[in-house]
Amino acid sequence: MKDYKKYYVLPATPEEVYLALTNPVSIEIWTGEAAEMTAEPGTEFSLWEGSIQGKNLEFEENKKLVQQWYFGEQEEPSIVTIKLHPDKQGTSAELRHTNIPDEDYNDIVEGWNSAYFGSLEEFFSGF
């Protein structure tokens, strides 16, 4: 198991980024694919037409979201924490993803950089 941590700067306010991460209509706009999401702890979510699935654990409006991502039958939960910090360029998004299966690590890191935060950056840069 491996952990990944990185900061991403997005050209939008923390409120706008939080909405883009938690509202299913917004998610579908920046991902281009179906999403199921509710900003309520204990609910399950699905992104990229089911490519990413898990459970929502915690929300702090406009500041933080914590999710468990499912990777088959692994014993230790894989936890994603995204904290949003105001930044002079918009928002600094602090990502921490723990317990990533070794065989999935490179794909997950690439996904964070290009598909997830890369798509968010393109989405907000278009305004």
Side-chain angles (χ1 to χ4, degrees), residues 107-125:
D107 287 341
I108 293 294
V109 168
E110 174 63 27
W112 280 120
N113 291 328
S114 62
Y116 203 98
F117 282 100
S119 293
L120 275 171
E121 188 173 355
E122 286 178 25
F123 173 68
F124 287 119
S125 295

Side-chain angles (χ1 to χ4, degrees), residues 19-70:
L19 185 65
L21 295 174
T22 59
N23 181 296
V25 175
S26 297
I27 294 168
E28 289 182 18
I29 292 170
W30 65 265
T31 64
E33 298 192 34
E36 294 177 26
M37 173 65 78
T38 304
E40 293 180 30
T43 59
E44 296 206 341
F45 69 91
S46 173
L47 308 174
W48 279 275
E49 295 184 346
S51 295
I52 299 172
Q53 297 183 357
K55 182 187 291 186
N56 291 310
L57 302 178
E58 181 184 343
F59 293 93
E60 189 174 339
E61 190 171 0
N62 303 325
K63 295 183 179 183
K64 178 169 82 170
L65 66 131
V66 182
Q67 300 173 320
Q68 177 182 347
W69 283 24
Y70 299 152

